[in-house]
């Protein structure tokens, strides 16, 4: 079965400092991997998507993620946090059916002034 | 263009009542999905539609839950005889004709509270 583990339930950073949100996945095949963000009382928004074209994936709002097969990781990074980045972030892997998505438990990012 | 829309945005009901939740997918998206987001379980897949048919209903938690889609567009998720554990945010997503790992675009959700 395909699954993801988000290693931190909460991450707190200061504005202007780097962001690292960690995600490990488990899959018996080459999966599609996603990061989604959810701002309070808002829907899920796609940040970026990996589908085997390139291991370093650039997304919206300055976020990027690197697919490391040897480490089964897909960590999300941003060089400099902004107050508006405060939200819940979900690492997601496609199921072997190809349509159902398996979500991690989420990481809540807090950005302090 | 318009994104996925869902209605109502909030629904409060009494235990035992039936509720209907509606989803309007992005125009041209033939695949539609329902998920549930609850505090205890996180985000769970419920059901998938390709056109008007639902090849995978495996995520529906009980036979009180059903869904249909008409005209390859609007979908309705119905919960009969609601229970307090049905309280959650119900999210709908749509995507282009299903391809492996196709990006799903989510609506804002319906927040259901069962008293």
């Amino acid at each position: 079965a395909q699954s993801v583990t988000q290693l931190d339930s909460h991450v707190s950073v200061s504005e202007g400092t780097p962001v690292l949100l960690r995600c490990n996945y488990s899959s018996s095949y080459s999966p599609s991997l996603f990061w989604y963000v959810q701002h309070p009382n808002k829907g899920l928004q796609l940040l970026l998507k990996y589908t085997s074209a390139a291991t370093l994936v650039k997304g919206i709002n300055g976020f990027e993620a690197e697919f490391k097969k040897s480490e089964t990781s897909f960590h999300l990074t941003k060089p400099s946090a902004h107050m508006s980045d405060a939200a819940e972030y979900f690492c997601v892997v496609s199921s072997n059916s190809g349509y159902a998505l398996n979500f991690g438990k989420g990481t809540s990012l807090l950005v302090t002034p | 263009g318009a994104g996925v829309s869902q209605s109502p945005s909030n629904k409060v009901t009494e235990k035992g009542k039936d509720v209907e939740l509606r989803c309007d997918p992005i125009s041209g998206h033939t695949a539609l999905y329902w998920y549930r987001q609850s505090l205890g379980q996180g985000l769970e897949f419920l059901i998938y539609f390709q056109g008007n048919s639902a090849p995978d209903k495996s995520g529906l938690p009980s036979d009180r839950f059903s869904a249909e889609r008409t005209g390859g567009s609007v979908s309705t998720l119905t919960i009969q005889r609601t229970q307090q554990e049905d309280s959650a945010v119900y999210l709908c997503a749509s995507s282009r004709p299903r391809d492996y790992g196709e990006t799903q675009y989510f609506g804002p959700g319906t927040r259901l509270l069962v008293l």
Side-chain angles (χ1 to χ4, degrees), chain B residues 28-71:
Chain B
H29 281 192
T30 59
L32 185 147
Y33 318 78
W34 284 98
Y35 292 84
R36 179 170 70 172
Q37 186 175 24
S38 56
L39 281 175
Q41 301 297 322
L43 268 149
E44 308 168 275
F45 166 79
L46 296 179
I47 188 170
Y48 155 68
F49 285 93
Q50 180 57 47
N52 291 336
S53 64
D56 187 351
K57 304 178 183 179
S58 61
L60 294 177
S62 77
D63 58 9
R64 296 185 296 104
F65 287 72
S66 63
E68 65 175 14
R69 190 178 184 195
T70 55

Side-chain angles (χ1 to χ4, degrees), chain A residues 44-81:
Chain A
L44 288 160
Q45 180 183 18
L46 179 69
L47 273 180
L48 50 80
K49 170 183 175 181
Y50 166 78
T51 53
S52 77
T55 57
L56 183 62
V57 184
K58 294 189 182 299
I60 61 171
N61 300 334
F63 284 94
E64 62 182 36
E66 186 172 8
F67 174 74
K68 292 187 176 180
K69 187 174 181 179
S70 60
E71 299 177 9
T72 61
S73 70
F74 190 58
H75 301 334
L76 182 70
T77 60
K78 182 174 182 178
S80 176

Side-chain angles (χ1 to χ4, degrees), chain B residues 8-13 18-21 110-114:
Chain B
S9 53
N10 291 280
K11 177 73 176 178
V12 181
T13 190
D18 297 352
V19 295
E20 284 190 353
L21 313 180
T110 293
R111 188 175 300 273
L112 174 66
L113 178 61
V114 181

Side-chain angles (χ1 to χ4, degrees), chain B residues 25-31 50 69 72-73 94-97:
Chain B
I26 293 171
S27 178
H29 281 192
T30 59
Q50 180 57 47
R69 190 178 184 195
S73 180
S94 70
S95 71
R96 294 182 304 175

Side-chain angles (χ1 to χ4, degrees), chain A residues 4 6 36-38 42-45 88-92 100-106, chain B residues 34-46 88-93 104 106-107 109:
Chain A
V4 289
Q6 293 185 244
Y36 279 85
V37 61
Q38 188 175 38
K42 296 288 179 68
L44 288 160
Q45 180 183 18
E88 189 85 10
Y89 291 79
F90 293 93
C91 183
V92 183
L101 298 178
N102 294 328
F103 284 78
K105 296 293 187 185
Chain B
W34 284 98
Y35 292 84
R36 179 170 70 172
Q37 186 175 24
S38 56
L39 281 175
Q41 301 297 322
L43 268 149
E44 308 168 275
F45 166 79
L46 296 179
V89 177
Y90 289 82
L91 294 166
C92 176
Q104 296 181 21
F106 284 81

